[in-house]
Amino acid sequence: MVFLAPLPTFYKVYKKKSSEGFQSAPYVVGLFSAMLWIYYALLKTNTMLLLTINCVGCFIQTFYICFFLFYAPKKTRMECLKLNVLLIVIGFGLVIFLTQFLASGVNRIMIVGWICLVFSLCVFVAPLGVMRQVIKTKSVEYMPILISVALTFNAVTWFFYGTLLGDFNIAVPNVFGFTFGVIQMILYVVYKNKKPVSCETMSEVKISEMEEQKISQLEDQNAVDNGKLHGALSCSDILPIVDQLNEKKHDAVLVAVETPVLPNVPNHIIEVTV
């Protein structure tokens, strides 16, 4: 159920021809966890069910990752490849190398069991990024409910299986798996019918804020320019020139201009101010 639950998600990716908005971390971490459990099952006895289901999981998770990489944008594809190299190549290689050469017998099984326990928790914690996106956008588009339900039932059954076997490396992580699964289902119920915050709305808000900042900056710049202009006009270097203009204004002279004497036309005196 857990391994097949993401199929509707990848059907959406196929229809959109893009994996933008979806995350590859749950599938990469899931593949790494399945490989660790296979290694743990090979070290122990009476773990045939653990071995078979995780072999199937490795195959399905690899298919998901390849499908994701095919439709992912360039930036997302590079992040997914880096995560694969970090966990699958370097991480799993180090686990095998260190446990084979630095531990033996029961100690090796115990160390690998604890590593499996930690990364099983990571499988359940990996969807926290999607949960954060759901709260931020108020949309459950990128949190498939089938995965949440499958993880919850899966955690319950593996918890009892590990408890009856007396293997707490199997039982303990599924307590957290059940908790996170319930939280995801609650988020789905809360935000299922709410109007999502679209990227266009968020971008419009950002643009309006930028415009307000630009307007306030222009107003501040105009105030500064007016202050500089006022200071320049009141400068002492300009005052003598203004005084000279005032003196010339008061020293106006009258200039008499004689016009030709014409019959019945009186002489005119024109006052010219210099």
Side-chain angles (χ1 to χ4, degrees):
M1 286 177 62
V2 173
F3 292 142
L4 296 178
L7 283 176
T9 299
F10 284 93
Y11 180 69
K12 288 182 181 179
V13 172
Y14 173 75
K15 289 183 67 176
K16 292 173 61 177
K17 305 299 181 183
S18 173
S19 61
E20 188 175 359
F22 296 95
Q23 298 182 1
S24 63
Y27 312 107
V28 178
V29 176
L31 175 61
F32 182 57
S33 178
M35 293 170 67
L36 285 175
W37 282 114
I38 291 173
Y39 182 44
Y40 179 72
L42 291 173
L43 294 176
K44 287 195 71 175
T45 57
N46 194 23
T47 53
M48 183 57 64
L49 293 177
L50 194 64
L51 181 64
T52 53
I53 189 60
N54 283 288
C55 287
V56 174
C58 280
F59 175 78
I60 296 176
Q61 297 286 15
T62 303
F63 171 77
Y64 288 155
I65 293 170
C66 294
F67 196 87
F68 183 90
L69 289 172
F70 184 78
Y71 286 106
K74 184 177 179 180
K75 183 179 178 181
T76 308
R77 187 183 298 120
M78 294 304 298
E79 292 176 354
C80 181
L81 289 173
K82 289 178 182 177
L83 189 60
N84 274 281
V85 171
L86 182 64
L87 286 181
I88 308 303
V89 180
I90 299 176
F92 189 68
L94 284 175
V95 169
I96 294 178
F97 178 81
L98 294 176
T99 54
Q100 286 293 327
F101 290 97
L102 300 180
S104 61
V106 179
N107 289 332
R108 180 185 297 163
I109 296 175
M110 184 180 67
I111 293 172
V112 176
W114 275 99
I115 295 174
C116 289
L117 188 152
V118 171
F119 281 96
S120 292
L121 293 177
C122 292
V123 172
F124 297 120
V125 173
L128 287 178
V130 180
M131 293 164 63
R132 178 178 175 273
Q133 187 176 9
V134 169
I135 297 173
K136 185 177 180 180
T137 61
K138 301 185 184 303
S139 172
V140 294
E141 181 181 0
Y142 301 113
M143 189 184 72
I145 188 61
L146 288 178
I147 296 180
S148 303
V149 175
L151 282 173
T152 305
F153 284 104
N154 178 74
V156 173
T157 53
W158 281 106
F159 170 77
F160 285 110
Y161 177 77
T163 303
L164 294 172
L165 278 181
D167 193 335
F168 292 98
N169 292 323
I170 299 175
V172 171
N174 289 285
V175 176
F176 294 92
F178 174 78
T179 305
F180 287 126
V182 171
I183 293 174
Q184 290 180 53
M185 288 191 291
I186 292 173
L187 283 176
Y188 185 87
V189 173
V190 171
Y191 292 105
K192 179 182 178 181
N193 297 320
K194 289 196 174 183
K195 186 178 180 180
V197 180
S198 62
C199 296
E200 294 180 358
T201 305
M202 295 176 69
S203 61
E204 287 177 0
V205 172
K206 290 181 179 179
I207 291 172
S208 62
E209 290 178 353
M210 292 174 64
E211 289 179 350
E212 290 178 357
Q213 290 179 357
K214 287 182 179 180
I215 291 172
S216 62
Q217 289 177 359
L218 289 173
E219 291 177 351
D220 294 340
Q221 186 64 34
N222 289 334
V224 172
D225 293 340
N226 290 333
K228 289 181 179 180
L229 181 60
H230 180 72
L233 290 176
S234 61
C235 182
S236 60
D237 294 336
I238 301 178
L239 288 176
I241 300 174
V242 176
D243 294 338
Q244 291 178 6
L245 290 173
N246 290 332
E247 290 177 357
K248 289 183 178 180
K249 182 178 179 180
H250 292 292
D251 292 339
V253 294
L254 296 177
V255 177
V257 178
E258 293 185 357
T259 57
V261 178
L262 297 174
N264 298 326
V265 178
N267 292 335
H268 296 277
I269 298 176
I270 300 175
E271 181 179 343
V272 180
T273 303
V274 180

